[in-house]
Amino acid sequence: MRLNELNAHERRLWDAFPQGRRVDVSDVPGPAAPAAPVIRSDVIAALLLGAHAEPTPGDRPALRLTGAHITGRLDLGFTEVAAPVHLTDCRFDEAPLLPGARTRQLVMTDCTLPGLVADTAQIDGRLVLARCRLTGPLNLDRTQINGDLDLRDTAVGFPEGEAISAVHAHVGGDALCTNLAVKGSFRLSGASIDGEFDLEGAALRAPGGHALDAYHVRITEDFTCHPGFSAEGRIILSGATVAAAIGFCGARLSNPGDIALEAVDVTVARNFDLGLGLTVDGAVKLDGTHVGTELSFRDTELTHPDGTALSLRATQARETDLRTRGPVHGAVDARNARLGTLHDAQDTWPTDLRLAEATYDALAAPLPAAERVRWIRRTTDGYLPQPYEQLAATYRRLGHEDEARTVLLAKQRHRRTTLPPHIRLWGHVQDLCVGYGYRPLRAGLWLLALLACGALYFALHTPAPLDPGKAPPFNAVFYTLDLLVPIITFGQDNAFAPRGTGQWLSYALIASGWILATTVTAGVSRAVTRQ
């Protein structure tokens, strides 16, 4: 490129390049200043690719430009750029092309671009697109960034497709995306970030699509979507590995009628915080996720009335906090989950709670067993024995044996509703007599009541002896015991024969004795088996 072909702004940039001086063409003084500070992209490419004279000792070449209107297409694809590039408040007519390029550092601040293509590029330092406005896609697929990726306060609009694509990209520092505004999908599946991924205050808009696709990402520090973050569309974190914590405190997620947050098989070394003001219109799916410390939904609002609002199937955590802001609008599915210490609040229990094969080490608020039984019964899955067994074991670990028996009695009563009518009838008898063996004192009370009734009646209506010469003296108490207890005899029942009402009463006492004996035997057997 010939120097006499350069305009005044381009000549200033050309002369400043070897020493890396900043050139600001936004406010050129003098009446002869052109109407538009135009810099041709060919001039920039020529400088970056070595068209300038060989640098003298002490030169530190860099391209620093402010306030320019850059015309033409800046094409640096598959080139090596040794000088850092800093562009401020510049406007591009066409999207710059840097596929396969290797650069020292690329910094754009307050710039307007129709997009940027830098897939498979290698950037030795930072890639900064801060406070920029992109009206087309940003392509960073398989890009290697050895420093930070800085997209703070930037707006990217491409509603018809992937506004930002960073598939299998690698960021050697932090991915700083605070206050990032995206219209279209933000996809970085398979990417790795050797620092923090910060989306605080970001707004992702892809209604009906994938607002954020972070499938199988690897993050060395925190993944933060704290206050001010909002998303329309599905957020996908499935398969992600986060070496610190994930936070959505105070965020707003919206994907009505569908999954708003899909985080299946995620591994989080510390906390997975979905509480403290998080609002979700749509489902949250965390199946198979492993949380190193606490999984929290405290003060969260979940709304998905036509399906499962929260799925925790096979999820594992050391602590789980389900104290949501109010009752979950939709089902909570915790089947096969390992919840550690479980925190919940009675006034926010979901109407449909599925706990089949779920386990927990402790209940932070045990509550009376009768209340906890109502908690278990909040399910549409029908009778399942394991939730009762798990709850009873929890009370036993606390030393509350009576509460454990209450739970197991409730289990038998629930089971009874699933049986045929004739077996249900026998179940009612066992329940009435001995509480299925979990209320053994009840059998003693029945025995005393029947003994008192029989003894009183026969004391007033003494039966006639069968053989007056050989009959022992009549004793109403022992005679009633002979009728009631089928195992032992005091010789009274074989010596006397009641008539009329007394005969029918003796039949009733004999039948009651056998029923009591049978139910006690069944209850003791069940209790021994449980032990």
Side-chain angles (χ1 to χ4, degrees):
M1 178 168 289
R2 298 177 182 178
L3 293 180
N4 58 6
E5 296 176 347
L6 303 179
N7 64 35
H9 303 304
E10 293 169 346
R11 184 56 188 261
R12 289 178 60 202
L13 182 63
W14 191 277
D15 293 339
F17 178 78
Q19 291 79 37
R21 296 194 306 272
R22 179 172 297 280
V23 175
D24 187 349
V25 299
S26 60
D27 54 353
V28 178
V38 173
I39 302 287
R40 288 172 293 167
S41 58
D42 289 345
V43 175
I44 294 175
L47 282 171
L48 295 177
L49 298 179
H52 200 283
E54 289 294 326
T56 59
D59 284 350
R60 300 176 65 181
L63 192 144
R64 292 183 170 87
L65 177 62
T66 299
H69 173 198
I70 300 174
T71 62
R73 184 179 296 277
L74 178 59
D75 188 351
L76 297 172
F78 305 100
T79 62
E80 185 165 344
V81 178
V85 178
H86 291 252
L87 302 174
T88 304
D89 195 22
C90 292
R91 176 168 59 90
F92 287 80
D93 282 345
E94 300 182 51
L97 300 178
L98 289 88
R102 179 171 185 177
T103 68
R104 293 283 300 278
Q105 183 168 263
L106 177 59
V107 177
M108 296 186 184
T109 307
D110 297 305
C111 294
T112 301
L113 307 87
L116 175 65
V117 179
D119 54 303
T120 69
Q122 181 174 334
I123 300 171
D124 295 336
R126 298 182 299 154
L127 173 58
V128 178
L129 291 168
R131 301 191 302 276
C132 292
R133 180 174 179 269
L134 280 72
T135 56
L138 171 61
N139 189 340
L140 300 176
D141 291 345
R142 300 185 183 277
T143 298
Q144 174 85 24
I145 303 169
N146 293 331
D148 294 340
L149 171 62
D150 189 345
L151 300 177
R152 287 177 290 183
D153 301 295
T154 286
V156 184
F158 191 62
E160 57 270 28
E162 293 178 357
I164 301 178
S165 181
V167 176
H168 291 290
H170 177 260
V171 178
D174 296 327
L176 305 173
C177 300
T178 54
N179 300 317
L180 172 67
V182 180
K183 292 183 178 179
S185 295
F186 184 178
R187 186 181 179 210
L188 61 158
S189 53
S192 60
I193 300 170
D194 292 344
E196 179 183 6
F197 187 16
D198 188 357
L199 282 162
E200 182 176 344
L204 311 182
R205 302 286 179 265
H210 294 167
L212 175 64
D213 183 355
Y215 178 75
H216 265 287
V217 299
R218 183 187 61 80
I219 302 171
T220 301
E221 296 181 17
D222 291 332
F223 175 61
T224 306
C225 297
H226 280 325
F229 176 82
S230 63
E232 294 180 16
R234 181 179 298 199
I235 293 180
I236 301 175
L237 301 180
S238 296
T241 301
V242 180
I246 298 178
F248 281 86
C249 296
R252 300 183 64 88
L253 310 181
S254 177
N255 197 23
D258 202 348
I259 297 174
L261 175 59
E262 178 187 319
V264 176
D265 294 328
V266 173
T267 301
V268 187
R270 287 171 23 208
N271 295 343
F272 197 156
D273 200 339
L274 292 156
L276 298 179
L278 171 65
T279 301
V280 183
D281 187 0
V284 174
K285 187 175 183 180
L286 305 182
D287 297 351
T289 287
H290 290 239
V291 181
T293 52
E294 184 181 30
L295 172 60
S296 176
F297 294 90
R298 186 166 187 179
D299 196 35
T300 299
E301 183 177 336
L302 299 173
T303 304
H304 188 57
D306 298 327
T308 301
L310 175 59
S311 182
L312 300 174
R313 299 185 65 173
T315 298
Q316 297 185 28
R318 190 180 302 170
E319 288 190 54
T320 305
D321 194 335
L322 294 178
R323 291 174 289 183
T324 53
R325 188 180 310 165
V328 176
H329 299 290
V332 175
D333 189 350
R335 286 177 286 182
N336 295 290
R338 304 292 178 264
L339 302 175
T341 299
L342 179 60
H343 302 260
D344 65 350
Q346 191 172 358
D347 58 347
T348 64
W349 284 346
T351 55
D352 186 358
L353 177 63
R354 302 166 190 173
L355 292 171
E357 303 304 323
T359 61
Y360 38 86
D361 300 327
L363 292 168
L367 299 177
E371 299 294 333
R372 278 293 171 191
V373 167
R374 284 196 282 272
W375 176 63
I376 291 175
R377 294 293 294 268
R378 289 172 172 257
T379 180
T380 57
D381 286 343
Y383 169 70
L384 294 168
Q386 187 274 337
Y388 291 97
E389 301 285 348
Q390 169 66 45
L391 182 57
T394 301
Y395 280 116
R396 280 204 177 99
R397 283 197 296 270
L398 295 173
H400 298 164
E401 187 62 35
D402 288 344
E403 302 282 35
R405 285 198 296 267
T406 298
V407 173
L408 295 174
L409 175 56
K411 168 193 165 187
Q412 292 298 330
R413 289 172 174 169
H414 193 180
R415 175 178 175 271
R416 186 173 66 210
T417 63
T418 68
L419 301 175
H422 64 286
I423 301 180
R424 284 207 303 271
L425 178 60
W426 177 240
H428 281 292
V429 172
Q430 291 188 77
D431 193 357
L432 183 64
C433 293
V434 291
Y436 284 98
Y438 301 112
R439 296 290 183 264
L441 289 179
R442 195 176 292 177
L445 294 175
W446 276 109
L447 182 63
L448 289 175
L450 291 170
L451 178 62
C453 290
L456 179 62
Y457 179 85
F458 289 118
L460 297 174
H461 305 85
T462 304
L466 292 174
D467 188 347
K470 297 181 180 180
F474 179 76
N475 186 300
V477 173
F478 285 101
Y479 179 74
T480 306
L481 279 174
D482 265 352
L483 296 175
L484 276 174
V485 183
I487 303 173
I488 61 175
T489 180
F490 296 99
Q492 293 278 316
D493 59 334
N494 294 326
F496 297 91
R499 297 286 186 270
T501 302
Q503 185 176 15
W504 287 106
L505 178 59
S506 66
Y507 292 159
L509 291 173
I510 292 170
S512 298
W514 278 105
I515 291 172
L516 278 174
T518 304
T519 54
V520 167
T521 302
V524 169
S525 175
R526 186 179 296 110
V528 169
T529 301
R530 284 294 311 142
Q531 295 298 327

